[in-house]
């Protein structure tokens, strides 16, 4: 099968070539060098005129299966941020459906930009689903940033297919490999599906970047990291808000563009409830980091810590409400639901603990009685969170928690100690009648943290013939 190089432009030669041992193939085709790149399990071979330094043409190997296949590893190692796998695109040919409508140069641009993403996403997906603790000398976020940039470069050109309700939005069938859905992949002839998939991938790359920032870094050969743990966590907050912004844009501005019949065909990975749950997860984990920073600060009052903990409960409650009833039957989907459930009950342990401490500062029997039940609720939620954590980590694919840090490192020490002593003192001072049987309601604070505002970029000038 022969494909002219115009489909891919000079893109291939902008990539870093692989050696033969790492899936690049450089061979002689007659007297003309032949250079190939692996896209998933399919090789693209390009001839190059050595005298003219000019690309001559490309052909494609023809294995039955092309592109990235859904992989479900048995063990994904340490997880600080749950990333339900990367949805990755499969190769496609823009020229056949669009040649009668668009210029050759514009088709080349679309093809080159998307093929770049196909290559990079297929390589990055296995490392995202199995993150490893990196040493201080490694820069794990660089490849994620490269793929993020590739998506940002592609999006303005892609949006030309949907500009002003263009009929072109239905001309190309876009295929992406799913992760949480039973179906292996989903192909939909609607460019808004491609836009939605791109935004989802951008958000998941943000989650993966936050995970790398929050996993402990091991120093190599005495080398100390340039960025402190505190700074890494502050950076993680920014990354979470950015990821939530991509998801919020998808919900607010892309979903309304999809007709109801197309929404029914979407994989569960892109269901509105899943996107909302992921957005709330990002905000919940960002607040968790803020609470950990408040715990470390001598200036933060109990009231500040309680407010942050109560806000965290609300974010995780919203995440659980969004995802709990969705059909997420396979390993990634079930693990996603278990992660949200675990973090929700963990947040409640923190909120009841700080609420109990503030109630205990009151001067009435009633406030002390309410403090007892609040602290007991904190202890029960803490125990339940331990079980929820075990359920999450044992669910396929198996994972494990990194060493405790921040909020839970502090509370794992304080809750058993403080609850035992304060409950015993109050029970000795007051009769059982003054101690409530059920925990008091948590204060209802307005949510302060919001996703970063992200707007779809303007259509690339190439659609106006300007470049």
């Amino acid at each position: 099968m022969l494909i002219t190089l115009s489909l891919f432009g000079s893109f291939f030669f902008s990539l870093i070539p692989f050696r033969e041992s790492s899936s690049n193939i450089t061979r002689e085709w007659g007297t003309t060098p032949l250079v190939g790149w692996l896209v998933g399990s399919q090789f693209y071979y390009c001839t190059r005129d050595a005298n003219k330094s000019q690309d001559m043409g490309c052909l494609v190997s023809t294995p039955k299966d092309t592109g990235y296949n859904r992989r479900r590893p048995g063990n994904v190692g340490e997880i600080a941020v749950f990333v339900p796998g990367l949805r990755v695109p499969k190769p496609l040919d823009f020229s056949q459906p669009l040649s009668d409508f668009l210029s050759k140069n514009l088709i080349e641009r679309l093809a080159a930009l998307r093929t770049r993403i196909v290559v990079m996403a297929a390589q990055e997906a296995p490392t995202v689903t199995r993150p490893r603790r990196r040493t201080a000398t490694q820069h794990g976020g660089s490849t994620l940033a490269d793929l993020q940039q590739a998506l940002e470069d592609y999006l303005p050109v892609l949006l030309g297919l949907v500009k002003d309700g263009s009929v072109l939005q239905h001309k190309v069938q876009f295929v992406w490999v799913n992760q949480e859905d039973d179906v292996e992949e989903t192909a939909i002839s609607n460019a808004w599906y491609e836009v939605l998939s791109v935004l989802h991938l951008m958000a998941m790359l943000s989650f993966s970047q936050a995970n790398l920032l929050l996993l402990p870094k091991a120093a190599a050969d005495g080398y100390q990291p340039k960025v402190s743990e505190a700074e890494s966590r502050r950076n993680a907050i920014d990354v979470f808000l950015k990821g939530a912004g991509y998801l919020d844009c998808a919900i607010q501005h892309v979903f309304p563009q999809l007709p109801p019949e197309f929404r029914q065909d979407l994989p569960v990975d892109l269901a509105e409830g899943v996107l909302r749950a992921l957005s709330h997860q990002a905000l919940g984990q960002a607040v968790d980091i803020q609470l950990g920073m408040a715990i470390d600060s001598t200036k933060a009052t109990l009231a500040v810590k309680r407010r942050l903990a109560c806000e965290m409960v609300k974010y995780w409650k919203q995440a659980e409400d969004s995802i709990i009833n969705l059909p997420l039957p396979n390993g990634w989907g079930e693990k996603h639901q278990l992660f949200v459930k675990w973090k929700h009950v963990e947040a409640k342990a923190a909120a009841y603990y700080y609420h109990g401490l503030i109630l205990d500062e009151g001067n009435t029997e009633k406030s002390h009685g309410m403090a007892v039940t609040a602290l007991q609720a904190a202890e029960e939620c803490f125990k339940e969170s331990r079980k929820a954590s075990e359920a999450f980590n044992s669910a396929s694919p198996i994972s494990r928690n990194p060493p405790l840090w921040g909020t839970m490192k502090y509370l794992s020490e304080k809750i058993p100690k403080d609850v035992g002593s304060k409950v015993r003192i109050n029970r000795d001072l007051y009769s059982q009648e003054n101690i409530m049987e059920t925990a008091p309601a948590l204060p209802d604070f307005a949510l302060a943290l919001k996703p970063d505002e992200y707007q779809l970029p303007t259509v690339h000038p190439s659609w106006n013939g300007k470049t």
Side-chain angles (χ1 to χ4, degrees):
M1 177 180 179
L2 186 64
I3 298 180
T4 63
L5 187 62
S6 63
L7 177 60
F8 302 101
S10 61
F11 158 68
F12 288 111
F13 296 95
S14 68
L15 288 176
I16 298 174
F18 298 104
R19 296 295 179 188
E20 183 168 353
S21 61
S22 59
S23 302
N24 179 59
I25 296 180
T26 302
R27 299 175 181 166
E28 293 295 321
W29 191 14
T31 59
T32 306
L34 181 65
V35 182
W37 282 264
L38 178 65
V39 179
S41 59
Q42 183 168 7
F43 284 106
Y44 290 81
Y45 301 104
C46 294
T47 62
R48 187 175 178 90
D49 188 319
N51 296 323
K52 298 180 181 180
S53 298
Q54 180 177 341
D55 303 323
M56 302 299 292
C58 292
L59 57 86
V60 185
S61 66
T62 56
K64 292 183 179 180
D65 189 37
T66 61
Y68 169 77
N69 294 319
R70 179 167 61 179
R71 296 179 176 88
R72 294 194 181 124
N75 190 315
V76 293
E78 291 181 350
I79 289 179
V81 181
F82 180 70
V83 185
L86 292 191
R87 299 185 70 252
V88 299
K90 298 195 75 172
L92 61 85
D93 180 4
F94 283 99
S95 60
Q96 183 175 358
L98 298 178
S99 59
D100 293 338
F101 304 93
L102 300 179
S103 68
K104 178 181 176 181
N105 288 340
L106 191 49
I107 292 175
E108 287 177 357
R109 187 186 295 272
L110 272 168
L113 290 169
R114 192 179 192 276
T115 303
R116 181 186 177 198
I117 294 168
V118 171
V119 174
M120 297 176 72
Q123 294 168 353
E124 191 63 30
T127 65
V128 168
T129 55
R130 186 176 172 79
R132 296 178 180 178
R133 188 185 300 186
R134 300 181 183 271
T135 64
T137 58
Q138 291 176 311
H139 302 283
S142 60
T143 55
L144 295 174
D146 290 341
L147 180 50
Q148 190 88 16
Q149 185 61 54
L151 293 163
E152 292 177 5
D153 293 343
Y154 174 53
L155 198 51
V157 183
L158 169 65
L159 287 170
L161 293 176
V162 298
K163 180 182 178 182
D164 301 325
S166 171
V167 295
L168 295 180
Q169 68 178 275
H170 302 293
K171 295 295 183 181
V172 181
Q173 186 178 66
F174 296 97
V175 186
W176 286 69
V177 176
N178 305 320
Q179 291 295 340
E180 292 189 316
D181 201 278
D182 270 342
V183 180
E184 182 79 13
E185 61 187 45
T186 303
I188 297 179
S189 298
N190 191 316
W192 281 114
Y193 166 63
E194 179 84 343
V195 174
L196 183 62
S197 297
V198 167
L199 290 175
H200 179 272
L201 181 51
M202 291 168 70
M204 293 305 94
L205 292 177
S206 297
F207 278 44
S208 183
Q209 176 66 22
N211 190 43
L212 292 177
L213 288 167
L214 295 178
L215 287 177
K217 294 176 179 62
D221 300 326
Y223 178 87
Q224 295 301 316
K226 294 180 180 179
V227 178
S228 66
E229 285 191 12
E231 187 172 351
S232 290
R233 288 167 191 166
R234 285 193 294 269
N235 292 339
I237 293 175
D238 294 336
V239 174
F240 276 130
L241 297 184
K242 183 181 294 185
Y246 297 139
L247 295 165
D248 191 57
C249 177
I251 295 167
Q252 300 297 330
H253 302 293
V254 179
F255 260 98
Q257 303 296 334
L258 291 166
E261 61 271 20
F262 281 100
R263 297 185 201 181
Q264 294 174 2
D265 293 334
L266 290 173
V268 71
D269 309 57
L270 299 181
E272 185 175 352
V274 170
L275 300 188
R276 290 189 183 278
L278 288 167
S279 179
H280 296 316
Q281 171 186 333
L283 298 176
Q285 295 207 262
V287 174
D288 191 5
I289 299 172
Q290 289 181 329
L291 177 56
M293 294 167 64
I295 290 171
D296 291 339
S297 172
T298 56
K299 297 180 180 179
T301 64
L302 279 179
V304 168
K305 296 170 188 176
R306 180 179 66 173
R307 176 170 187 137
L308 288 170
C310 289
E311 288 184 34
M312 183 165 57
V313 171
K314 291 181 70 173
Y315 285 122
W316 285 111
K317 176 65 164 59
Q318 290 173 344
E320 189 169 22
D321 288 345
S322 297
I323 202 174
I324 193 65
N325 293 320
L326 290 177
L328 297 172
N330 68 55
W332 285 119
E334 179 189 11
K335 199 169 183 70
H336 192 177
Q337 290 174 325
L338 289 171
F339 181 79
V340 172
K341 180 179 179 180
W342 163 33
K343 291 299 180 179
H344 182 203
V345 70
E346 192 175 79
K348 288 196 290 185
Y352 277 120
Y353 173 73
Y354 285 111
H355 189 41
L357 293 186
I358 288 179
L359 290 171
D360 196 49
E361 290 182 340
N363 295 319
T364 65
E365 287 190 24
K366 182 179 179 180
S367 66
H368 288 293
M370 292 171 66
V372 168
T373 52
L375 291 170
Q376 287 177 326
E379 187 174 41
E380 289 302 312
C381 288
F382 180 72
K383 292 177 180 177
E384 187 181 346
S385 74
R386 292 284 186 89
K387 295 177 182 178
S389 172
E390 292 174 2
F392 165 75
N393 286 317
S394 62
S396 179
I398 296 171
S399 58
R400 64 181 183 274
N401 297 336
L404 285 177
W405 56 271
T407 303
M408 290 315 296
K409 181 179 181 180
Y410 177 81
L411 294 182
S412 66
E413 301 169 356
K414 297 295 288 184
I415 286 180
K417 178 182 177 181
D418 287 357
V419 171
S421 61
K422 291 183 181 296
V423 168
R424 183 174 58 255
I425 292 172
N426 283 313
R427 285 192 182 281
D428 291 340
L429 291 175
Y430 306 111
S431 64
Q432 186 64 35
E433 289 76 16
N434 290 322
I435 298 177
M436 299 172 59
E437 294 183 0
T438 59
L442 293 171
D444 185 12
F445 296 108
L447 296 175
L449 210 56
K450 304 294 181 185
D452 282 351
E453 184 177 356
Y454 177 79
Q455 295 181 347
L456 292 174
T458 56
V459 174
H460 194 275
S462 59
W463 284 90
N464 299 323
K466 295 181 180 179
T467 182

